[in-house]
Amino acid sequence: MLAPFALCGCSGVQSALDPAGDESAIVANLFWVMVIGGAFIWIGVIGTLLFAISRRERPVSDAGAGRLILWGGAVFPSVTLLFLLAFALWLMPGLRPFATPADASMTVEVTGKQFWWQVAYRLPDGSRVAAANEVRLPVGKRVEFALESDDVIHSFWIPALGGKMDMIPGRRNRLSLLATKAGTFRAPCAEYCGTSHALMAFSAVAMEPSDFDAWLAAQAEPAAGVSGEGREAFLRNGCGACHRVDGTEANATIGPDLSHVGSRKTIGAGILPNTEAAIASFIANPGAIKPDAKMPAFGALPAAEIDAMAAWLKGLE
Ligand code: CUA
């Protein structure tokens, strides 16, 4: 009776049951077959119970009870479970294919941090494009993800595209995904990693290959409009000690790369909409938005200075 309400949560940007990737389509298929198989078993059990209740006044014969146990208690569940097991095993080879250099269009390195995501696109020609808190990939091309962590265990999960993979300090785990539909999906960290675990997410954007190529080429260059008062304030206040902005002397990798922060769907790793006001509030007091974030608060600066930095950052597209 509650199913329609429970299933309302099955569509949307963060659902494994609204697949936009080859692996998530297999997962969704398996889920529905298991649900239907489970429903048959449930109906069988409840039917047997109702039958037993209805016969309370007229007990079944020993032979009848034996048949009921044989067919209802042994044959039916064995056949159903055997079918479900066979189906799951049959699906398995299609899950978790390892991308070979021949079929992976590129490698995306994603490193989990408390509480954000460092991203780097490794292209076949050896070049590297840095980003953060957003992963883009071309539709119809297999992409290999190389997953690491610097601090604690995080878990990389884009429900609309595929299953989870842990990010473990000292290891490089590999996962390959193939997006089958363009769209923007939400990807939450799927392993408790500290106070702001629930505030650690990123956007995954699947784009048509030509759009993706143009986007990546633009990411590899400094954003336009790298000048002005906001830029001076950013550098003067030492933001470059943690962040990198391509085209300026800010070149650190402790915090998220901000070279094209203005073009991202969200800021604060999936927490706030990407607006000047949200960027200004994050600069003023990151800990109020994301408890235990390592970035210090800059709320003591004049509001005009914070606003200028926010406007400049938003303009880095
Ligand atoms: Cu990172 Cu939970």
Side-chain angles (χ1 to χ4, degrees):
M1 198 188 292
L2 290 173
F5 299 102
L7 293 175
C8 288
C10 293
S11 60
V13 294
Q14 191 184 305
S15 174
L17 300 180
D18 195 358
D22 65 340
E23 186 174 303
S24 56
I26 295 175
V27 172
N29 266 344
L30 182 62
F31 173 83
W32 288 115
V33 169
M34 289 289 172
V35 165
I36 292 164
F40 271 109
I41 293 175
W42 185 82
I43 289 167
V45 169
I46 297 300
T48 310
L49 177 71
L50 293 176
F51 176 73
I53 290 170
S54 75
R55 297 296 295 249
R56 215 181 318 180
E57 303 298 314
R58 300 167 288 135
V60 288
S61 64
D62 281 357
R67 277 197 303 277
L68 190 63
I69 290 168
L70 175 67
W71 289 99
V75 175
F76 174 74
S78 301
V79 168
T80 310
L81 292 175
L82 201 68
F83 168 76
L84 292 176
L85 176 67
F87 179 69
L89 291 175
W90 174 71
L91 284 179
M92 276 175 80
L95 286 167
R96 292 291 136 98
F98 274 92
T100 61
D103 67 1
S105 60
M106 64 173 175
T107 297
V108 184
E109 297 168 345
V110 185
T111 303
K113 309 262 191 178
Q114 286 172 312
F115 301 90
W116 59 282
W117 313 81
Q118 188 176 55
V119 179
Y121 299 82
R122 289 269 179 203
L123 306 181
D125 67 5
S127 59
R128 179 179 186 276
V129 178
N133 297 332
E134 186 169 285
V135 165
R136 298 202 180 208
L137 63 172
V139 172
K141 292 192 179 179
R142 186 160 291 286
V143 173
E144 185 192 52
F145 290 91
L147 307 173
E148 297 182 15
S149 171
D150 273 356
D151 37 44
V152 298
I153 300 177
H154 304 270
S155 186
F156 179 91
W157 186 32
I158 309 173
L161 299 186
K164 295 172 190 168
M165 179 69 81
D166 276 359
M167 310 171 103
I168 300 169
R171 278 184 65 92
R172 170 172 270 228
N173 282 343
R174 289 173 185 280
L175 170 71
S176 89
L177 294 174
L178 178 76
T180 51
K181 256 194 255 176
T184 300
F185 312 104
R186 189 173 186 274
C189 178
E191 180 79 33
Y192 181 75
C193 54
T195 309
S196 282
H197 155 70
L199 301 173
M200 178 173 174
F202 65 90
S203 317
V205 185
M207 307 169 82
E208 293 306 330
S210 55
D211 295 344
F212 176 81
D213 291 343
W215 172 83
L216 192 58
Q219 292 283 306
E221 302 295 328
V226 184
S227 64
E229 161 55 20
R231 176 188 197 268
E232 301 313 316
F234 183 87
L235 297 172
R236 185 168 64 239
N237 289 303
C239 306
C242 294
H243 296 285
R244 172 177 175 269
V245 177
D246 196 8
T248 74
E249 54 266 46
N251 198 25
T253 55
I254 294 170
D257 189 297
L258 300 177
S259 299
H260 292 271
V261 67
S263 66
R264 289 180 200 146
K265 303 282 179 190
T266 65
I267 62 156
I271 302 311
L272 295 175
N274 193 347
T275 63
E276 280 182 37
I279 296 174
S281 65
F282 199 90
I283 296 171
N285 195 355
I289 293 162
K290 183 169 285 205
D292 270 8
K294 297 206 168 55
M295 178 169 156
F298 287 84
L301 295 177
E305 202 161 314
I306 294 177
D307 289 346
M309 284 194 274
W312 175 64
L313 289 167
K314 181 69 188 97
L316 295 175
E317 296 189 341

